[in-house]
Amino acid sequence: MTLFDRPEPDVPTALGAPRPERLARLVESALASSRSTTPADLFALAADAFGGTLSEGAFSPRDAYDAAEFGLHLHLLRLRLPLGDDPAAALAEVERLSGLLPSQTRRTTAQNDYQQFSTPAAYAALCAWVSGVGEGDRVIEPSAGTGALCAFALAAGASVHANELCGRRADLLASLLAEAGQDPSRTLTRENADHLDAILPPGVRADVLLMNPPFSQTAGRLGHRRVPTVGTDHVLQALRRLDEGGRLVAVLSAGVRRGKPTHRAFFGAVDRNPFRLRADVEVGEAVYRPYGTSVRTRVLVVDRVSGGESSGRGDRIEVAVETLADAAAALTPARRAVTLRVD
């Protein structure tokens, strides 16, 4: 077993603030000053926060990368960038900030086994923008990771219920929710999203679902076996919690295709009453490269409509693009208007 294969602790040792959060706050400070953080910088900061070096086993690369991501998400929550009708400027700013962090070149076994490839922050901004999430919306994020999608929903004034199986990441999410004024003891669960509908309290419902489920693994339940339907199964579970008039935006593997027999039933389900598939946009692999993988992905936009609404299938957006800017341009006709919800 190598250093990078060692099991990753779920609960960080606390000395004041938890160690990953201390590292995240240092990264956030650098981002606020537009200072870049090199890999050497990050691991040096991590050594200070964790009280030992990478080679000594005080932390894993995933510990450091997750904390760096979380620092970015904290900064984005505080910035509250207006996504607006034209997201180009916001996406460019998020990409600039993300570029100040080091690329995630070192993987751990746990990362591979649990498909811990976080949503790139600019990708999360795109998803939040096309969802039309706004003040008063109820949002569910079933596999919330380090909180990229949550950060933009919280910044928009939504209430967020986050779910995350990995204890280390869930601890970071608790801090993010608290930073936004929410009570994580009520709005954070730590379950396997394979059975999300059966696990969440009955009262947890959504106007907006934002999600990036695992692409091909089942949280260790089936060992290293790849399951091509795991992501789509997560989507179908989440859709059971979407109320009428609501919208789901999901990032899936580009391998999820209508023409594949494996996924035919799924595409039928997301485009059959009461659901309407509004957009299916394939996105190039370069978007994920700084996060340790090169994989083409797919953004699906699904609405839950009233029984009398026409299908609008002729207006469905189906296109392949290479950049997030191109994805935003393609998705513009499908963007849901932001509405203020009053209880």
Side-chain angles (χ1 to χ4, degrees), residues 3-14:
L3 170 67
F4 302 141
D5 288 332
R6 69 183 180 84
E8 299 182 34
D10 274 345
V11 181
T13 302

Side-chain angles (χ1 to χ4, degrees), residues 181-202:
Q182 295 194 186
D183 180 359
S185 69
R186 301 180 61 185
T187 60
L188 174 66
T189 46
R190 302 168 182 246
E191 306 288 350
N192 188 334
D194 281 358
H195 304 287
L196 187 77
D197 181 51
I199 291 167
L200 291 184

Side-chain angles (χ1 to χ4, degrees), residues 213-216 227-235 250-268 270 277 279-282 295-300 318:
F215 289 163
S216 61
V227 181
T229 61
V230 65
T232 55
D233 289 344
H234 280 217
V235 170
V251 176
L252 299 171
S253 165
V256 176
R257 290 191 176 93
R258 181 186 305 277
K260 283 187 175 181
T262 306
H263 303 304
R264 192 170 294 141
F266 167 74
F267 278 97
V270 298
L277 178 60
D280 177 353
V281 176
E282 185 175 326
V295 59
R296 295 186 72 85
T297 52
R298 184 175 305 284
V299 181
L300 294 186
E318 294 182 306

